[in-house]
Amino acid sequence: MKPVSVLLVDDHPVVREGYRRLLERQPSLSVCAEAVDADSAYEAFCRHRPDVVVMDMLLPGASGLDALRHIRQRDADARVLMVTMHSGASMALKVLQAGAWGYVTKSSGPKELVRAVLAVSQGEQALCEDTRQAIETQRLADPVAVLDDLGPREVEILRLVASGHTSDAIADALNLSEKTVRNYHYAIKSRIGVRTDAQLVWFALSIGLVRVDDVAAALPFPVPGLPAGRCDD
């Protein structure tokens, strides 16, 4: 199989060399280009069309967040993994809301970075463990505040998913492609700090976005703690 192509964006040559050596130890990964700032990152992305962009948040001039937004304007399907010193939930959620597919802190181990790159290349959201825990803590402290970090479209898709609608049904209802709906689905789970659809449903229930009756009615089988739905339909 063709290796996953990676664009490295960091203004420190030693850091880029470290990333290159780490990633290219994996037969399935190949660094296709490097960039030192937001402008050169955009140019390299347009020229090489990498499968994954691994980008530092702090760049000279425009930030990595600015570069992310610029790249996403060019290609809404661009897969960017942000690497940063900040493990706080607020910054992670801001980056994910801007369209990043992953968020890894520089305190993460080398294996965690490799796993994140591979996950993003396969269309999966990737969060390092300390950031995931920070988001989970914030979600438990004030779940409604987490909802504020989602856009109107994401809130609507969250409601529909939690109500039991399939990706193709949501795509038809909102006039979107199934791929776009699946991308939203992955992004929503990362931004609210959950891993499974079951956790997604309980989150939606906890903030009152869906009713227990609506969730139960959508299930083809009874679930302890929920009233029986239309199991005989």
Side-chain angles (χ1 to χ4, degrees):
M1 294 179 61
K2 182 181 178 182
V4 173
S5 59
V6 180
L7 165 62
L8 299 177
V9 185
D10 194 292
D11 60 316
H12 295 93
V14 173
V15 173
R16 294 199 308 275
E17 180 64 20
Y19 286 163
R20 176 184 284 275
R21 292 187 180 187
L22 172 65
L23 297 178
E24 291 193 334
R25 288 177 190 165
Q26 311 298 316
S28 58
L29 298 176
S30 176
V31 175
C32 65
E34 299 180 12
V36 300
D37 56 24
D39 290 341
S40 61
Y42 180 77
E43 292 172 1
F45 177 84
C46 296
R47 183 181 309 115
H48 297 279
R49 307 299 293 180
D51 297 311
V52 178
V53 180
V54 176
M55 183 153 52
D56 188 15
M57 175 76 81
L58 293 177
L59 297 173
S63 69
L65 188 58
D66 293 326
L68 164 64
R69 289 169 174 154
H70 197 190
I71 288 172
R72 291 272 299 175
Q73 286 176 352
R74 173 64 181 261
D75 182 357
D77 293 324
R79 295 176 180 177
V80 177
L81 172 65
M82 196 69 75
V83 182
T84 174
M85 295 292 294
H86 305 285
S87 61
S90 297
M91 180 58 72
L93 291 169
K94 184 176 182 179
V95 169
L96 293 170
Q97 188 172 18
W101 277 77
Y103 189 94
V104 174
T105 62
K106 291 187 176 181
S107 60
S108 302
K111 290 182 179 179
E112 195 158 23
L113 176 62
V114 172
R115 283 196 296 267
V117 172
L118 291 172
V120 169
S121 74
Q122 295 167 9
E124 301 174 5
Q125 292 284 333
L127 291 176
C128 61
E129 191 56 34
D130 51 353
T131 298
R132 188 182 297 280
Q133 290 177 359
I135 293 176
E136 176 68 11
T137 299
Q138 178 173 315
R139 182 180 70 85
L140 292 174
D142 188 359
V144 177
V146 177
L147 191 64
D148 292 338
D149 290 312
L150 301 179
R153 177 71 79 186
E154 290 166 320
V155 172
E156 179 63 9
I157 290 176
L158 168 59
R159 185 186 68 79
L160 292 170
V161 169
S163 298
H165 292 76
T166 61
S167 293
D168 58 337
I170 296 173
D172 288 341
L174 301 181
N175 196 28
L176 300 171
S177 70
E178 285 189 52
K179 180 180 180 181
T180 298
V181 172
R182 288 194 296 269
N183 288 348
Y184 271 120
H185 191 167
Y186 279 120
I188 291 166
K189 286 198 290 188
S190 289
R191 289 173 193 174
I192 64 178
V194 303
R195 300 186 184 209
T196 67
D197 283 350
Q199 292 172 327
L200 195 73
V201 170
W202 286 113
F203 173 79
L205 285 167
S206 71
I207 62 174
L209 189 62
V210 295
R211 300 178 303 171
V212 172
D213 290 346
D214 294 335
V215 174
L219 296 174
F221 48 82
V223 174
L226 292 181
R230 296 192 296 269
C231 298
D232 297 326
D233 288 359

